[in-house]
């Protein structure tokens, strides 16, 4: 089973949990004791930051790998820590995969065709080195991408999906307060901009549908606008939906349920801060961040499954 | 003079050259002799690739720093070579700045507010490390960004422009064949999507105008669609325009001239492959790539200045 959507939906079914853990590290999320521990290994503050991030991510992954199907590292949070941050990103991808989790890289990459090919190689394919050697720069299963440049900025990513069993999630409707500035503008044909993008995504994904009926070309649709999410779910029936906005951004399990199909499939809900900072909500000590994350991940799984069950009734 | 647009326009005036050299390295652009030389220092093929890229970029920079005001490294080409590629990116930024060139990072980054802040810190600001230390992850002067998420995905970048004298170039009309898939869709109010984005860019940039009359919040408008470029120039009178599409993508100096104001200012034209691969056009040996780049950079400067002079007549 090499198709991305088939792999992801199979893993979701196996764990009975349609969620993905966002890994968006900030140094102040990391307990002081874990930070201090890195002092033994490294004095340079930037390299120490990289070591602390990977130690922190490993602890989170260790505590949820048996109950959460996937992780979503957000590249910005690693890029802000320079090269050591990107080493932590690389090692996070490898560690999550070694624990059987799928890795969805959140990079929202986009560019003209030739450059999009370089991004596609970096995250979904392999780069050619001299003497004909090829290596992947990073090991990931899927990447988020931005549709502003149209089809020739998307096609290089779809090629890697076809050739390597990878996936993409194309931004359609984002979860942020100003999402509508551009995405809700009304076209002369009556559609909004994000509905027009949804139609493009549906078209781009048509040739990449797997055995589950879902395409390896998915979409990002935020749960913070549930009415739109419901309409976009119907508009893209074969499109796997990555749902941001749960928890810290304010969307409930009921809001998220609208992005699933009538069988409770076809979507995966992300939570980042609400899992990483669960120790605060559960009033547990900072050092217990990973245990708190597991507790919150179980609550989130159960809340989503209950919302999906209510929807099916 | 700390304002980005002021700094860039001053440098352009000083060198009488409104161009930026794109640095989009592919290993097969690099002469075999320069690649082979890295064997002495490094056996690992990925690390060797990183060393070859920085050696190649340094040679290009050394040959044009006295005639070209800025470089534009495109992140995708570095990301495809993993960590060593990003080390080459970091060193390229530092080296270009040490030679007095401005650095415009082409990353087309975009995300929701909290995450956009992390990208903004990475490329335009500084990241906080434990014990209150702050360091920039990379040293750059400006970053390209994508407007799909609306104002709260843009504001964190503008904050760094205000606080640190940096700049952004927001995608308005890209240079690729499928740019119109989304950007040319007609809104019910009669504007196209890219015209609506241009109006937003004009608005976002209004509070960041420098002494030259241009804002630190610029726009990307491709020269491959000259009629649109002309209209967008008028629509965004205070917006500095980064113009891709010259050379390998097919736009001429005349096409580019339409993105400048009536005084021949307010825009900077990028060329990447036509400079990096100039040795082919000039039928020079591969080893003379940097000399060929300089020759082509002079031809490009003169062609643009002649086109601008004809426009003013």
């Amino acid at each position: 089973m090499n198709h991305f959507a088939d792999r992801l939906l199979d893993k979701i079914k196996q764990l009975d949990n349609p969620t993905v853990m966002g890994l968006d590290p900030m140094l102040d999320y990391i307990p002081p004791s874990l930070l201090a521990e890195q002092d033994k290994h490294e004095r340079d503050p930037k390299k120490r930051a990289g070591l602390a991030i990977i130690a922190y991510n490993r602890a989170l992954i260790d505590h949820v790998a048996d109950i959460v199907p996937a992780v979503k590292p957000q590249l910005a949070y690693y890029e802000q820590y320079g090269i050591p941050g990107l080493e932590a990103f690389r090692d996070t991808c490898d560690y999550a995969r070694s624990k059987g989790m799928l890795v969805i890289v959140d990079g929202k990459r986009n560019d003209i065709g030739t450059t999009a090919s370089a991004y596609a190689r970096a995250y979904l394919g392999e780069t050619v080195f001299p003497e004909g050697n090829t290596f992947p720069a990073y090991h990931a299963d899927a990447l988020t991408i931005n549709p502003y440049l149209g089809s020739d900025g998307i096609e290089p990513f779809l090629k890697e999906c076809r050739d390597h069993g990878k996936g993409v999630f194309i931004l359609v409707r984002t979860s942020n307060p100003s999402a509508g500035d551009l995405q809700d503008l009304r076209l002369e044909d009556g559609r909004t901009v994000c509905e027009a993008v949804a139609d493009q995504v549906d078209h781009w994904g048509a040739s990449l549908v797997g055995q589950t009926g879902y395409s390896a070309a998915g979409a990002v649709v935020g749960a913070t606008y549930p009415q739109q999410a419901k309409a976009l779910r119907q508009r893209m029936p074969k499109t796997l939906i990555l749902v941001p906005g749960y928890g810290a951004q304010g969307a409930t399990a009921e809001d998220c349920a609208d992005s699933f199909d009538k069988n409770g499939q076809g979507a995966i809900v992300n939570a980042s801060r609400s899992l990483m900072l669960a120790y605060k909500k559960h009033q547990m000590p900072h050092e217990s961040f990973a245990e708190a994350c597991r507790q919150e991940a179980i609550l989130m799984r159960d809340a989503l499954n209950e919302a999906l069950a209510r929807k099916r009734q």
Side-chain angles (χ1 to χ4, degrees), chain A residues 9-308:
Chain A
L9 292 173
D10 184 65
K11 185 83 186 171
I12 287 172
K13 198 171 177 182
Q14 190 187 318
L15 300 185
D16 190 27
N17 187 4
T19 71
V20 48
M21 175 170 70
L23 289 173
D24 305 359
M26 294 289 292
L27 284 183
D28 55 8
Y29 293 1
I30 302 179
S33 59
L34 188 60
L35 271 174
E37 207 174 293
Q38 313 311 319
D39 290 357
K40 295 177 206 159
H41 313 295
E42 181 60 58
R43 293 302 306 167
D44 177 84
K46 291 194 213 175
K47 291 184 184 166
R48 205 165 53 197
L51 294 181
I53 291 167
I54 184 65
Y56 170 77
N57 284 352
R58 276 173 180 256
L60 290 170
I61 290 167
D62 284 341
H63 279 77
V64 304
D66 62 326
I67 53 168
V68 174
V71 292
K72 181 175 78 64
Q74 163 53 258
L75 271 166
Y77 292 92
Y78 302 87
E79 292 179 29
Q80 70 178 332
Y81 296 113
I83 303 293
L86 288 157
E87 289 174 331
F89 164 73
R90 177 196 62 196
D91 294 350
T92 297
C93 294
D94 290 348
Y95 192 70
R97 283 165 60 105
S98 80
K99 295 288 169 179
M101 300 180 88
L102 280 84
V103 175
I104 300 168
V105 174
D106 199 353
K108 299 184 175 61
R109 296 303 197 250
N110 64 106
D111 217 294
I112 66 169
T114 44
T115 306
S117 295
Y119 279 131
R121 281 193 293 277
Y123 298 100
L124 305 176
E126 299 196 323
T127 300
V128 181
F129 287 84
E131 295 128 43
N133 294 316
T134 62
F135 304 100
Y138 303 102
H139 292 95
D141 296 290
L143 177 68
T144 60
I145 60 177
N146 181 306
Y148 193 70
L149 283 85
S151 60
D152 62 45
I154 300 291
E155 179 49 43
F157 296 101
L158 302 184
K159 181 179 184 307
E160 300 296 346
C161 294
R162 263 190 295 275
D163 294 354
H164 296 284
K166 305 290 175 141
V168 290
F169 290 97
I170 302 165
L171 297 190
V172 172
R173 187 60 163 81
T174 56
S175 57
N176 56 315
S178 70
D181 281 4
L182 178 59
Q183 298 161 29
D184 286 352
L185 293 180
R186 179 77 53 190
L187 301 177
E188 63 175 0
D189 65 13
R191 296 178 300 170
T192 61
V193 166
C194 69
E195 287 170 349
V197 172
D199 292 345
Q200 291 174 337
V201 169
D202 187 64
H203 171 70
W204 291 328
S207 67
L208 284 165
V209 175
Q211 291 171 9
T212 50
Y214 279 99
S215 173
V220 174
V221 178
T224 43
Y225 301 94
Q227 284 310 312
Q228 287 181 309
K230 198 180 278 189
L232 290 166
R233 167 74 288 169
Q234 289 172 357
R235 204 167 188 113
M236 303 181 287
K238 293 181 187 311
T239 303
L240 203 55
I241 296 182
L242 173 63
V243 184
Y246 180 82
Q249 288 185 58
T252 65
E254 271 67 29
D255 296 335
C256 296
D258 290 330
S259 290
F260 289 75
D261 65 23
K262 61 177 168 36
N263 301 313
Q265 291 188 319
I268 185 162
V269 179
N270 179 74
S272 304
R273 280 168 286 173
S274 57
L275 293 176
M276 288 188 291
L277 300 179
Y279 74 92
K280 291 186 180 178
K281 176 182 164 190
H282 293 281
Q283 298 182 309
M284 290 166 69
H286 200 164
E287 283 66 28
S288 305
F289 69 97
E291 292 80 6
C293 173
R294 182 182 176 86
Q295 287 185 22
E296 186 64 22
I298 290 171
L299 291 176
M300 179 180 171
R301 176 195 69 191
D302 294 346
L304 278 172
N305 282 337
E306 283 164 27
L308 289 171

